[in-house]
């Protein structure tokens, strides 16, 4: 099932925040993305209803297996594409901004070729 780019971004953000701290709450996501708390709250409700996250009684957000699979894939795409762009001479800030846009739209075939090239040349 293909999900919206915004949902992928939320899942990736939760994934990244979980790497930094044991508990992630809506306020952390709002702060990280510079979004309003109500906007994040609506998004978290949709992600929960669609089985991508779970939220405990304290408001701690955890990715489900389904959510983590998508988040990890987006995270890998983000960093791999950024690495490829930097190899081509793009500055780091621009490479990461551009990779955030590309990661959602690039085909699996193209991404896998980029990834294979990077691994082959140890970039």
């Amino acid at each position: 099932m293909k999900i919206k780019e915004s949902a992928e971004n939320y899942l990736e953000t939760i994934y990244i925040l979980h790497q930094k701290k044991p508990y992630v709450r809506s306020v952390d996501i709002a702060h990280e993305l510079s979004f309003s708390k109500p906007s994040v709250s609506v998004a978290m409700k949709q992600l929960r209803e669609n089985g991508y996250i779970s939220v405990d009684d304290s408001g701690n957000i955890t990715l489900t297996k389904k959510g983590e699979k998508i988040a990890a894939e987006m995270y890998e795409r983000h960093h791999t594409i950024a690495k490829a762009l930097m190899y081509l001479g793009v500055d780091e800030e621009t490479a990461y901004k551009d990779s955030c846009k590309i990661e959602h739209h690039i085909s699996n075939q193209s991404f896998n070729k980029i990834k294979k090239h990077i691994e082959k040349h140890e970039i």
Side-chain angles (χ1 to χ4, degrees):
M1 176 182 165
K2 180 71 175 142
I3 66 171
K4 292 182 180 180
E5 182 177 331
S6 61
E8 290 174 341
N9 282 331
Y10 277 114
L11 294 172
E12 183 181 10
T13 299
I14 295 165
Y15 184 83
I16 291 167
L17 288 171
H18 264 293
Q19 292 178 355
K20 297 176 184 177
K21 54 203 282 182
Y23 301 105
V24 176
R25 300 178 59 147
S26 289
V27 68
D28 302 318
I29 298 164
H31 182 263
E32 183 74 17
L33 296 173
S34 299
F35 290 169
S36 71
K37 292 176 196 171
S39 294
V40 172
S41 181
V42 168
M44 293 306 104
K45 180 181 181 207
Q46 291 173 343
L47 291 173
R48 189 183 74 247
E49 288 174 351
N50 288 300
Y52 296 108
I53 64 168
S54 61
V55 183
D56 69 17
D57 293 338
S58 299
N60 298 319
I61 299 166
T62 306
L63 294 167
T64 62
K65 288 184 190 246
K66 182 166 95 169
E68 187 168 5
K69 182 178 188 272
I70 292 167
E73 179 181 322
M74 290 299 104
Y75 183 79
E76 178 187 32
R77 284 174 170 243
H78 192 136
H79 289 284
T80 301
I81 294 166
K83 190 184 247 188
L85 292 172
M86 287 185 286
Y87 173 74
L88 295 171
V90 177
D91 67 272
E92 185 175 0
E93 182 180 351
T94 303
Y96 274 97
K97 282 182 184 177
D98 289 348
S99 70
C100 190
K101 298 170 192 167
I102 296 168
E103 72 188 46
H104 303 283
H105 303 288
I106 192 170
S107 70
N108 285 335
Q109 180 184 8
S110 293
F111 173 73
N112 287 330
K113 292 290 184 181
I114 291 168
K115 182 180 171 183
K116 186 176 180 179
H117 182 80
I118 287 174
E119 290 169 351
K120 181 179 177 183
H121 297 295
E122 298 181 18
I123 298 170

